[in-house]
Amino acid sequence: MNTPAPSATAVPASRWALVAGTVVVLTAIVSVLLVAFAWPSARSSVHDVPIAVAGPPTAVAQIRTALEQRLPGGFEITAVHDTAAAEQLISNRQVYGAIDLSSGTPQVIVASAASTAVAQTLQAMATGLSQAGGTSTPIAVRDLAALPADDPRGAGLAAGALPLVMGGLLAAVLLTRLVHGTIRRVTGALSFAVTGGMAVAAILQYWLGSLSGSYPANAGAIGLAIAATSLTVLGLESLLGYAGIGIGAVVMMLVGNPLSGTATAPEMLPGWSGAFGQLLPPGAGGRLLRSTAFFDGGGATHAVIVLAAWVALGAVLCLVGTLRSAGGGHDSNAGVNRQPVMNR
């Protein structure tokens, strides 16, 4: 009687040490994910939020004292003389709102399109100031830049931040896997930025009703954010191989997206995190889109510079990675056929 030979494909069971190590790694990963996404929201608060106060110096000083008593360190106040000056600061996105005491009848001016969270805080502050003044008449609240009627809470704009980051990452991964040639990959990333920007802007503006303003400007803002993400990750992959994609995903997804401040406001995030988030593509992209959609481009300069810098960085990284490959440098993607000619 013949005994069947053991299967050549049989794989021995893994060692228990490997199982334990895998569990430890997975636990660390889920902990990092929780901290990355939950910490900014859980520690969100009003601190150093820029607002304007319009009126005589004495009245401005009184408001400054009252706000400091109610929310210590909550607001960074800019004193102006009249309503027009306060509105100009709001339109230029230098402040989120204003308390106007210059026209006789006190009013609070908000811009819910800049941040619904800050607008709600200012509305509550108006009620508190009215009660502090010993009058039952509420202080009028005027929304200078309101969100669209179809999306009064800005849910579509806030929810759209993550797909933009994922779209840029997905573009880099697919172009790396499917397209050979640095110039072809960069061209594909830029082309996708155009078509993706047009598609996402159309969905947000014409279907969901989450955006106002100029459709071409909104599409351009979204496209620039996608280009900044995809080109940066492409450049990192060109220089570091698959490890570059991982680094790009961590920077954009685990750091940039939670610290973007798109759902609230950068100033409401804990410590330095909000300001840092505005230097990354998700934060700059969210600010740029709000500027084009609701403020006629006001306050967009910083965001455009940040995104353009990331696009340029990605292009430089692609060039450096290609030149290194052409010069016989180490290829971190073992087993992947890299052709060294840029226009291959």
Side-chain angles (χ1 to χ4, degrees):
M1 181 175 180
N2 296 329
T3 302
S7 174
T9 59
V11 179
S14 299
R15 298 172 57 187
W16 285 109
L18 177 61
V19 176
T22 302
V23 170
V24 171
V25 170
L26 290 174
T27 303
I29 290 175
V30 74
S31 299
V32 170
L33 289 173
L34 177 62
V35 171
F37 286 93
W39 173 67
S41 299
R43 293 294 182 265
S44 178
S45 63
V46 178
H47 55 272
D48 295 328
V49 173
I51 65 171
V53 177
T58 303
V60 171
Q62 291 175 347
I63 291 295
R64 191 188 300 272
T65 301
L67 293 181
E68 186 63 26
Q69 291 175 346
R70 290 178 174 273
L71 280 176
F75 298 99
E76 183 179 298
I77 296 175
T78 299
V80 294
H81 294 293
D82 53 26
T83 306
E87 291 179 348
Q88 186 65 38
L89 290 178
I90 296 173
S91 298
N92 291 338
R93 302 204 63 190
Q94 295 175 266
V95 298
Y96 283 92
I99 298 174
D100 183 14
L101 307 173
S102 63
S103 58
T105 302
Q107 66 172 335
V108 172
I109 308 173
V110 301
S112 58
S115 170
T116 53
V118 175
Q120 291 169 358
T121 300
L122 289 175
Q123 290 173 358
M125 192 64 63
T127 301
L129 291 174
S130 175
Q131 295 173 350
T135 174
S136 59
T137 303
I139 296 178
V141 177
R142 179 163 60 92
D143 199 338
L144 187 65
L147 287 162
D150 291 338
D151 189 8
R153 296 177 300 159
L157 181 60
L162 182 59
L164 288 184
V165 178
M166 294 179 63
L169 289 172
L170 181 61
V173 172
L174 289 181
L175 288 169
T176 297
R177 296 292 297 171
L178 302 178
V179 177
H180 296 288
T182 301
I183 290 180
R184 287 170 173 79
R185 288 178 178 176
V186 171
T187 301
L190 294 176
S191 299
F192 169 65
V194 174
T195 58
M198 294 172 63
V200 173
I203 292 171
L204 288 175
Q205 189 158 351
Y206 297 126
W207 182 16
L208 301 180
S210 298
L211 300 179
S212 301
S214 166
Y215 167 74
N218 294 336
I222 295 171
L224 186 56
I226 293 175
T229 300
S230 59
L231 277 178
T232 299
V233 178
L234 272 180
L236 289 170
E237 190 280 334
S238 178
L239 191 63
L240 304 174
Y242 292 145
I245 296 179
I247 293 173
V250 168
V251 171
M252 302 300 174
M253 286 283 295
L254 297 186
V255 179
N257 191 67
L259 301 186
S260 66
T262 303
T264 54
E267 291 81 5
M268 297 187 72
L269 297 179
W272 48 265
S273 60
F276 179 71
Q278 295 303 294
L279 298 177
L280 300 175
R287 179 175 179 84
L288 178 58
L289 184 56
R290 284 187 186 273
S291 293
T292 58
F294 306 112
F295 295 90
D296 294 326
T301 303
H302 179 268
V304 170
I305 293 174
V306 169
L307 293 173
W310 281 98
V311 170
L313 175 63
V316 170
L317 291 177
C318 286
L319 176 61
V320 172
T322 301
L323 292 177
R324 192 181 69 166
S325 296
H330 174 68
D331 189 348
S332 57
N333 286 344
V336 178
N337 181 24
R338 282 179 176 266
Q339 302 178 35
V341 182
M342 283 192 65
N343 62 353
R344 60 189 184 271

